[in-house]
Amino acid sequence: MIESWRWYGEFDSIPLSDVAQTGARGIVTALHGIPYGEVWPQDAIVARKALVTEAGFDWVVVESLPIHERIKRGDGDLSQLFANYRQSMANLAAEGITTICYNFMPLLDWTRTDLAAPVAGGATCLRFEAVRMAAFEVHMLGRRAAEDDYPDDILAKAAAWFQAANDADRAALLAAIMAGLPGAFDRYDVDGLKAALAAYDGIGRDALRANYQRFLNEVVPTAEELGVRLCVHPDDPPRDILGLPRIVSNGDDLEWVLKAYDSPANGITLCSGSLGANPANDVPVIAGKVAHRIHFAHLRNVRKDPDGSFEEAAHLDGDTDMVALVRVLLDEEARRCDVGRADHAIPFRPDHGHHMLSDLARDLIPGYPLIGRLRGLAELRGVMRALSHG
């Protein structure tokens, strides 16, 4: 497998010279400063690739080439947005960058309620707390339909939290949830979020699936022509959130994606943490069923609570059997070798990580510390080496 590292370019306080010391040799990055829906210019891609190459790395995966919200909503004349997406793919392929991760999550890329939840030993992690999410939806956002999404005991605790919370507590909760908004980097206040959510009124699961089908129909043929492999990232968390439908949340959803446009160019980013946040998802089993179309992997672990809360665990310590999952990926690589695929190696990155040691004093992108991810990469490297030796 190709050991890789997510790097946010000019928005990342971790320099590539530090990343070089992790042992990773692949970089996963994107042009985060370009507004959604605009073409990624060839010269900007060349410049980013030069930075990566001069630092001793290969740019192995784009994460992400984002999809404009209008495409997700099926809103109006989308011909120019689709044309721009195809041109960005062509510009990337011209520079030899042919694995593109993306997601089809409405509005939010991921959702957490705490960006620095304490863990044993003094480190911190990302956490999704069901009570605080309910408090936000019902009492801060005023989304009354949210009361149907939570059991009575969670709603009672949410009301108590809201009553006890001060302005700073509520502002911190809003900031944590807004951290999941993509791009560089607009954030909403409560009224702004209400307006953004209103644009999705009337768009349910079936409508979102239809809009996704249209996206695949528009871009996968071009990906085939270019030799590009697209790989969708699962929903995070894998459930409806803020009244927005989610359609890439479990094994059945992933199989639907692959059948929606049956092509090697239409594949999966296997994210063990996103899928692992749903107690019904057996991640190694799911991975085995879609292994032939896994083009990229995010390896992280979560620990779940009975009320639907979850938090980032150490990479080998959460609810997902990481050794079994890595075994699936290595077996798939071996299968690809056996059939003569030159591109048999699957790029992966240690996803997220605990903020620990000196990283606690640094201004880092939430979930993307240096030391916590280095720990995860080292642990995963050890698992892979051991399994490779049988």
Side-chain angles (χ1 to χ4, degrees), residues 219-244:
V219 302
V220 175
T222 300
E224 292 174 328
E225 294 170 7
L226 296 169
V228 163
R229 286 192 168 92
L230 297 166
C231 40
V232 67
H233 187 285
D235 303 324
D236 185 9
R239 67 188 74 174
D240 293 358
I241 200 84
L242 295 171
L244 299 169

PDB file of all heavy atoms in Angstrom, residues 219-244:
ATOM      1  N   VAL A 219     -19.948  12.786 -15.633  1.00  0.00           N
ATOM      2  CA  VAL A 219     -18.494  12.880 -15.463  1.00  0.00           C
ATOM      3  C   VAL A 219     -17.749  11.557 -15.636  1.00  0.00           C
ATOM      4  O   VAL A 219     -16.567  11.573 -15.995  1.00  0.00           O
ATOM      5  CB  VAL A 219     -18.131  13.499 -14.090  1.00  0.00           C
ATOM      6  CG1 VAL A 219     -18.761  14.885 -13.933  1.00  0.00           C
ATOM      7  CG2 VAL A 219     -18.503  12.597 -12.936  1.00  0.00           C
ATOM      8  N   VAL A 220     -18.392  10.427 -15.389  1.00  0.00           N
ATOM      9  CA  VAL A 220     -17.650   9.160 -15.470  1.00  0.00           C
ATOM     10  C   VAL A 220     -17.166   8.865 -16.888  1.00  0.00           C
ATOM     11  O   VAL A 220     -16.022   8.401 -17.065  1.00  0.00           O
ATOM     12  CB  VAL A 220     -18.473   7.997 -14.895  1.00  0.00           C
ATOM     13  CG1 VAL A 220     -17.731   6.671 -15.090  1.00  0.00           C
ATOM     14  CG2 VAL A 220     -18.727   8.212 -13.396  1.00  0.00           C
ATOM     15  N   PRO A 221     -17.964   9.112 -17.951  1.00  0.00           N
ATOM     16  CA  PRO A 221     -17.419   8.869 -19.291  1.00  0.00           C
ATOM     17  C   PRO A 221     -16.129   9.649 -19.561  1.00  0.00           C
ATOM     18  O   PRO A 221     -15.196   9.119 -20.186  1.00  0.00           O
ATOM     19  CB  PRO A 221     -18.554   9.316 -20.219  1.00  0.00           C
ATOM     20  CG  PRO A 221     -19.793   9.123 -19.402  1.00  0.00           C
ATOM     21  CD  PRO A 221     -19.394   9.501 -18.005  1.00  0.00           C
ATOM     22  N   THR A 222     -16.049  10.879 -19.092  1.00  0.00           N
ATOM     23  CA  THR A 222     -14.823  11.655 -19.254  1.00  0.00           C
ATOM     24  C   THR A 222     -13.692  11.057 -18.431  1.00  0.00           C
ATOM     25  O   THR A 222     -12.540  10.999 -18.887  1.00  0.00           O
ATOM     26  CB  THR A 222     -15.061  13.115 -18.839  1.00  0.00           C
ATOM     27  OG1 THR A 222     -16.089  13.673 -19.668  1.00  0.00           O
ATOM     28  CG2 THR A 222     -13.797  13.942 -18.974  1.00  0.00           C
ATOM     29  N   ALA A 223     -14.012  10.610 -17.223  1.00  0.00           N
ATOM     30  CA  ALA A 223     -12.995   9.952 -16.406  1.00  0.00           C
ATOM     31  C   ALA A 223     -12.433   8.731 -17.120  1.00  0.00           C
ATOM     32  O   ALA A 223     -11.217   8.480 -17.102  1.00  0.00           O
ATOM     33  CB  ALA A 223     -13.581   9.568 -15.050  1.00  0.00           C
ATOM     34  N   GLU A 224     -13.303   7.950 -17.756  1.00  0.00           N
ATOM     35  CA  GLU A 224     -12.842   6.784 -18.515  1.00  0.00           C
ATOM     36  C   GLU A 224     -11.879   7.193 -19.625  1.00  0.00           C
ATOM     37  O   GLU A 224     -10.824   6.563 -19.826  1.00  0.00           O
ATOM     38  CB  GLU A 224     -14.046   6.044 -19.098  1.00  0.00           C
ATOM     39  CG  GLU A 224     -14.937   5.370 -18.067  1.00  0.00           C
ATOM     40  CD  GLU A 224     -16.190   4.777 -18.682  1.00  0.00           C
ATOM     41  OE1 GLU A 224     -16.693   5.334 -19.680  1.00  0.00           O
ATOM     42  OE2 GLU A 224     -16.667   3.760 -18.152  1.00  0.00           O
ATOM     43  N   GLU A 225     -12.233   8.233 -20.344  1.00  0.00           N
ATOM     44  CA  GLU A 225     -11.384   8.703 -21.446  1.00  0.00           C
ATOM     45  C   GLU A 225     -10.022   9.171 -20.947  1.00  0.00           C
ATOM     46  O   GLU A 225      -8.997   8.980 -21.622  1.00  0.00           O
ATOM     47  CB  GLU A 225     -12.081   9.841 -22.188  1.00  0.00           C
ATOM     48  CG  GLU A 225     -13.357   9.442 -22.915  1.00  0.00           C
ATOM     49  CD  GLU A 225     -14.129  10.636 -23.421  1.00  0.00           C
ATOM     50  OE1 GLU A 225     -13.604  11.779 -23.317  1.00  0.00           O
ATOM     51  OE2 GLU A 225     -15.257  10.455 -23.919  1.00  0.00           O
ATOM     52  N   LEU A 226      -9.991   9.773 -19.782  1.00  0.00           N
ATOM     53  CA  LEU A 226      -8.767  10.367 -19.238  1.00  0.00           C
ATOM     54  C   LEU A 226      -7.922   9.369 -18.450  1.00  0.00           C
ATOM     55  O   LEU A 226      -6.784   9.681 -18.093  1.00  0.00           O
ATOM     56  CB  LEU A 226      -9.124  11.536 -18.308  1.00  0.00           C
ATOM     57  CG  LEU A 226      -9.807  12.739 -18.941  1.00  0.00           C
ATOM     58  CD1 LEU A 226     -10.336  13.677 -17.847  1.00  0.00           C
ATOM     59  CD2 LEU A 226      -8.838  13.488 -19.870  1.00  0.00           C
ATOM     60  N   GLY A 227      -8.476   8.200 -18.153  1.00  0.00           N
ATOM     61  CA  GLY A 227      -7.774   7.279 -17.278  1.00  0.00           C
ATOM     62  C   GLY A 227      -7.830   7.686 -15.821  1.00  0.00           C
ATOM     63  O   GLY A 227      -6.970   7.309 -15.019  1.00  0.00           O
ATOM     64  N   VAL A 228      -8.862   8.446 -15.453  1.00  0.00           N
ATOM     65  CA  VAL A 228      -9.049   8.926 -14.078  1.00  0.00           C
ATOM     66  C   VAL A 228      -9.927   7.946 -13.314  1.00  0.00           C
ATOM     67  O   VAL A 228     -10.886   7.397 -13.867  1.00  0.00           O
ATOM     68  CB  VAL A 228      -9.689  10.334 -14.085  1.00  0.00           C
ATOM     69  CG1 VAL A 228     -10.278  10.694 -12.733  1.00  0.00           C
ATOM     70  CG2 VAL A 228      -8.656  11.364 -14.514  1.00  0.00           C
ATOM     71  N   ARG A 229      -9.601   7.752 -12.046  1.00  0.00           N
ATOM     72  CA  ARG A 229     -10.444   6.955 -11.157  1.00  0.00           C
ATOM     73  C   ARG A 229     -11.056   7.878 -10.116  1.00  0.00           C
ATOM     74  O   ARG A 229     -10.344   8.472  -9.300  1.00  0.00           O
ATOM     75  CB  ARG A 229      -9.631   5.842 -10.497  1.00  0.00           C
ATOM     76  CG  ARG A 229      -9.308   4.698 -11.454  1.00  0.00           C
ATOM     77  CD  ARG A 229      -8.758   3.494 -10.710  1.00  0.00           C
ATOM     78  NE  ARG A 229      -8.712   2.327 -11.584  1.00  0.00           N
ATOM     79  CZ  ARG A 229      -7.663   1.980 -12.310  1.00  0.00           C
ATOM     80  NH1 ARG A 229      -6.570   2.721 -12.261  1.00  0.00           N
ATOM     81  NH2 ARG A 229      -7.695   0.908 -13.077  1.00  0.00           N
ATOM     82  N   LEU A 230     -12.385   7.986 -10.146  1.00  0.00           N
ATOM     83  CA  LEU A 230     -13.133   8.741  -9.150  1.00  0.00           C
ATOM     84  C   LEU A 230     -13.461   7.813  -7.983  1.00  0.00           C
ATOM     85  O   LEU A 230     -13.763   6.630  -8.187  1.00  0.00           O
ATOM     86  CB  LEU A 230     -14.420   9.282  -9.752  1.00  0.00           C
ATOM     87  CG  LEU A 230     -14.261  10.287 -10.901  1.00  0.00           C
ATOM     88  CD1 LEU A 230     -15.577  10.473 -11.633  1.00  0.00           C
ATOM     89  CD2 LEU A 230     -13.741  11.620 -10.382  1.00  0.00           C
ATOM     90  N   CYS A 231     -13.434   8.346  -6.764  1.00  0.00           N
ATOM     91  CA  CYS A 231     -13.736   7.493  -5.604  1.00  0.00           C
ATOM     92  C   CYS A 231     -14.494   8.305  -4.561  1.00  0.00           C
ATOM     93  O   CYS A 231     -13.962   9.235  -3.964  1.00  0.00           O
ATOM     94  CB  CYS A 231     -12.470   6.876  -5.017  1.00  0.00           C
ATOM     95  SG  CYS A 231     -11.012   7.921  -4.917  1.00  0.00           S
ATOM     96  N   VAL A 232     -15.751   7.941  -4.360  1.00  0.00           N
ATOM     97  CA  VAL A 232     -16.630   8.676  -3.461  1.00  0.00           C
ATOM     98  C   VAL A 232     -16.301   8.347  -2.006  1.00  0.00           C
ATOM     99  O   VAL A 232     -16.014   7.207  -1.653  1.00  0.00           O
ATOM    100  CB  VAL A 232     -18.112   8.377  -3.763  1.00  0.00           C
ATOM    101  CG1 VAL A 232     -18.477   6.942  -3.453  1.00  0.00           C
ATOM    102  CG2 VAL A 232     -19.030   9.344  -3.019  1.00  0.00           C
ATOM    103  N   HIS A 233     -16.343   9.370  -1.177  1.00  0.00           N
ATOM    104  CA  HIS A 233     -16.115   9.220   0.261  1.00  0.00           C
ATOM    105  C   HIS A 233     -17.455   9.000   0.954  1.00  0.00           C
ATOM    106  O   HIS A 233     -18.434   9.684   0.669  1.00  0.00           O
ATOM    107  CB  HIS A 233     -15.452  10.483   0.814  1.00  0.00           C
ATOM    108  CG  HIS A 233     -15.029  10.388   2.238  1.00  0.00           C
ATOM    109  ND1 HIS A 233     -15.921  10.435   3.284  1.00  0.00           N
ATOM    110  CD2 HIS A 233     -13.808  10.243   2.796  1.00  0.00           C
ATOM    111  CE1 HIS A 233     -15.257  10.327   4.420  1.00  0.00           C
ATOM    112  NE2 HIS A 233     -13.981  10.200   4.155  1.00  0.00           N
ATOM    113  N   PRO A 234     -17.536   8.052   1.900  1.00  0.00           N
ATOM    114  CA  PRO A 234     -18.802   7.836   2.620  1.00  0.00           C
ATOM    115  C   PRO A 234     -19.197   9.040   3.474  1.00  0.00           C
ATOM    116  O   PRO A 234     -18.378   9.912   3.799  1.00  0.00           O
ATOM    117  CB  PRO A 234     -18.497   6.611   3.499  1.00  0.00           C
ATOM    118  CG  PRO A 234     -17.316   5.959   2.878  1.00  0.00           C
ATOM    119  CD  PRO A 234     -16.518   7.064   2.262  1.00  0.00           C
ATOM    120  N   ASP A 235     -20.463   9.051   3.851  1.00  0.00           N
ATOM    121  CA  ASP A 235     -21.004  10.131   4.682  1.00  0.00           C
ATOM    122  C   ASP A 235     -20.399  10.093   6.090  1.00  0.00           C
ATOM    123  O   ASP A 235     -20.138   9.023   6.635  1.00  0.00           O
ATOM    124  CB  ASP A 235     -22.524   9.986   4.782  1.00  0.00           C
ATOM    125  CG  ASP A 235     -23.194   9.985   3.419  1.00  0.00           C
ATOM    126  OD1 ASP A 235     -22.727  10.709   2.527  1.00  0.00           O
ATOM    127  OD2 ASP A 235     -24.190   9.256   3.259  1.00  0.00           O
ATOM    128  N   ASP A 236     -20.238  11.288   6.667  1.00  0.00           N
ATOM    129  CA  ASP A 236     -19.617  11.392   7.985  1.00  0.00           C
ATOM    130  C   ASP A 236     -20.374  12.423   8.824  1.00  0.00           C
ATOM    131  O   ASP A 236     -20.203  13.616   8.615  1.00  0.00           O
ATOM    132  CB  ASP A 236     -18.156  11.797   7.834  1.00  0.00           C
ATOM    133  CG  ASP A 236     -17.408  11.809   9.155  1.00  0.00           C
ATOM    134  OD1 ASP A 236     -17.969  11.335  10.161  1.00  0.00           O
ATOM    135  OD2 ASP A 236     -16.267  12.293   9.177  1.00  0.00           O
ATOM    136  N   PRO A 237     -21.205  11.982   9.800  1.00  0.00           N
ATOM    137  CA  PRO A 237     -21.478  10.596  10.152  1.00  0.00           C
ATOM    138  C   PRO A 237     -22.424   9.934   9.154  1.00  0.00           C
ATOM    139  O   PRO A 237     -23.091  10.623   8.376  1.00  0.00           O
ATOM    140  CB  PRO A 237     -22.137  10.719  11.533  1.00  0.00           C
ATOM    141  CG  PRO A 237     -22.779  12.058  11.535  1.00  0.00           C
ATOM    142  CD  PRO A 237     -21.889  12.930  10.714  1.00  0.00           C
ATOM    143  N   PRO A 238     -22.486   8.594   9.182  1.00  0.00           N
ATOM    144  CA  PRO A 238     -23.284   7.869   8.196  1.00  0.00           C
ATOM    145  C   PRO A 238     -24.757   7.812   8.579  1.00  0.00           C
ATOM    146  O   PRO A 238     -25.319   6.746   8.825  1.00  0.00           O
ATOM    147  CB  PRO A 238     -22.633   6.478   8.202  1.00  0.00           C
ATOM    148  CG  PRO A 238     -22.156   6.318   9.610  1.00  0.00           C
ATOM    149  CD  PRO A 238     -21.711   7.688  10.045  1.00  0.00           C
ATOM    150  N   ARG A 239     -25.393   8.968   8.596  1.00  0.00           N
ATOM    151  CA  ARG A 239     -26.809   9.081   8.967  1.00  0.00           C
ATOM    152  C   ARG A 239     -27.303  10.440   8.490  1.00  0.00           C
ATOM    153  O   ARG A 239     -26.507  11.355   8.238  1.00  0.00           O
ATOM    154  CB  ARG A 239     -26.964   8.978  10.480  1.00  0.00           C
ATOM    155  CG  ARG A 239     -26.360  10.168  11.242  1.00  0.00           C
ATOM    156  CD  ARG A 239     -26.323   9.993  12.735  1.00  0.00           C
ATOM    157  NE  ARG A 239     -25.278   9.055  13.124  1.00  0.00           N
ATOM    158  CZ  ARG A 239     -24.947   8.808  14.391  1.00  0.00           C
ATOM    159  NH1 ARG A 239     -25.578   9.405  15.374  1.00  0.00           N
ATOM    160  NH2 ARG A 239     -23.965   7.972  14.680  1.00  0.00           N
ATOM    161  N   ASP A 240     -28.613  10.594   8.374  1.00  0.00           N
ATOM    162  CA  ASP A 240     -29.168  11.909   8.057  1.00  0.00           C
ATOM    163  C   ASP A 240     -28.780  12.884   9.158  1.00  0.00           C
ATOM    164  O   ASP A 240     -28.751  12.535  10.350  1.00  0.00           O
ATOM    165  CB  ASP A 240     -30.686  11.837   7.937  1.00  0.00           C
ATOM    166  CG  ASP A 240     -31.141  11.019   6.736  1.00  0.00           C
ATOM    167  OD1 ASP A 240     -30.280  10.547   5.975  1.00  0.00           O
ATOM    168  OD2 ASP A 240     -32.364  10.840   6.573  1.00  0.00           O
ATOM    169  N   ILE A 241     -28.487  14.121   8.772  1.00  0.00           N
ATOM    170  CA  ILE A 241     -28.040  15.109   9.742  1.00  0.00           C
ATOM    171  C   ILE A 241     -28.631  16.465   9.369  1.00  0.00           C
ATOM    172  O   ILE A 241     -28.727  16.802   8.177  1.00  0.00           O
ATOM    173  CB  ILE A 241     -26.496  15.182   9.789  1.00  0.00           C
ATOM    174  CG1 ILE A 241     -26.008  15.816  11.081  1.00  0.00           C
ATOM    175  CG2 ILE A 241     -25.896  15.856   8.587  1.00  0.00           C
ATOM    176  CD1 ILE A 241     -25.902  14.873  12.228  1.00  0.00           C
ATOM    177  N   LEU A 242     -29.118  17.216  10.355  1.00  0.00           N
ATOM    178  CA  LEU A 242     -29.695  18.541  10.141  1.00  0.00           C
ATOM    179  C   LEU A 242     -30.867  18.498   9.164  1.00  0.00           C
ATOM    180  O   LEU A 242     -31.156  19.474   8.479  1.00  0.00           O
ATOM    181  CB  LEU A 242     -28.633  19.529   9.644  1.00  0.00           C
ATOM    182  CG  LEU A 242     -27.502  19.840  10.623  1.00  0.00           C
ATOM    183  CD1 LEU A 242     -26.411  20.647   9.933  1.00  0.00           C
ATOM    184  CD2 LEU A 242     -28.027  20.595  11.847  1.00  0.00           C
ATOM    185  N   GLY A 243     -31.535  17.351   9.095  1.00  0.00           N
ATOM    186  CA  GLY A 243     -32.636  17.202   8.161  1.00  0.00           C
ATOM    187  C   GLY A 243     -32.205  16.929   6.736  1.00  0.00           C
ATOM    188  O   GLY A 243     -33.054  16.830   5.845  1.00  0.00           O
ATOM    189  N   LEU A 244     -30.891  16.803   6.513  1.00  0.00           N
ATOM    190  CA  LEU A 244     -30.362  16.536   5.179  1.00  0.00           C
ATOM    191  C   LEU A 244     -30.219  15.031   4.971  1.00  0.00           C
ATOM    192  O   LEU A 244     -29.727  14.334   5.854  1.00  0.00           O
ATOM    193  CB  LEU A 244     -28.992  17.197   5.014  1.00  0.00           C
ATOM    194  CG  LEU A 244     -28.959  18.722   5.144  1.00  0.00           C
ATOM    195  CD1 LEU A 244     -27.522  19.201   5.220  1.00  0.00           C
ATOM    196  CD2 LEU A 244     -29.685  19.381   3.976  1.00  0.00           C
TER     197      LEU A 244
END
